[in-house]
Amino acid sequence: VSEEVIDTAVRRILRIKLACGLFDRPYTEFRKVDRTHNIEDARTMASECMVLLKNNDNLLPLSKDKRFIAAGPYLRERRSMLGTWAPDGTLEGVPTFLEAIANKVPGKAIVDMDSEWVYNNLPAMSSDADVVVLALGESRRATGEMYSVCDIAISEDQIRLAKQAKLLG
C-alpha cells in the first residue's frame, strides 16, 4: 500500500473525528446502562433468527430422559460468551454453556472433562450416553480491537473432537 493511500485513509478518519467533536472532547463520561430491555430484545432476535439445518431422527429438542455427554473447550467459558464488544459487561449474568444446558436437562448425568480427556475416552463413555453435545467455537481473542484471525475455521483440536463424536453415531 502506498503512503498516499494511507494518508488519504487517515485524513478521512480524522475528518470524521473532527466532525464528531472528538478533538474538543476526547473522553466522554461513563454512563450506566440499564440492559434489561436490551437483553429482552437480544433474546427475541436470537429466537427469531435461529436456523436448524438438519434434525435427524427428531433429536432436537433433547428429551429430558436422554443422557448426554457435554464436552469441548467452551463448556466453562464465560468471557467468550459475553463477547469481545462488551468491555463494560459483567460476567455474573453470563451462564457457561455447561450451566445453561444443565439447567435445561435437570438430574441427568453430564460428563464434564477437558477436550483432550474426552477425545481419548469418548468411545468408552458413549455407552453411558444417548447424545454428545459439543461446546465449540472461537475465543473472544479471535476478534475485536487488536485481535483478528485470517482463518475463521475452528481449531484442529475442535475438529478432531467433533470427528471423534461423530464416529459414535
Side-chain angles (χ1 to χ4, degrees), residues 35-51:
R35 290 186 170 81
T36 307
H37 183 68
N38 299 12
I39 291 170
E40 290 170 14
D41 286 347
R43 283 196 175 118
T44 299
M45 286 186 279
S47 68
E48 290 175 359
C49 69
M50 280 189 230
V51 176

Side-chain angles (χ1 to χ4, degrees), residues 16 23 28 32 41 50 57 60 62 64 77 82 84 90 100 103 109 119 123 132 134 137 141 144-146 150 161:
I16 292 169
F23 294 113
T28 59
K32 185 77 174 156
D41 286 347
M50 280 189 230
D57 302 321
L60 298 175
L62 287 177
K64 291 193 183 291
E77 178 64 32
L82 185 60
T84 301
T90 58
N103 289 336
Y119 176 78
V132 176
L134 299 178
R141 293 193 170 119
E145 293 289 330
M146 304 184 320
C150 296
L161 181 62

Side-chain angles (χ1 to χ4, degrees), residues 122 132 134 160-169:
L122 201 52
V132 176
L134 299 178
R160 189 169 59 119
L161 181 62
K163 285 179 178 178
Q164 182 72 15
K166 185 178 180 184
L167 287 175
L168 300 173

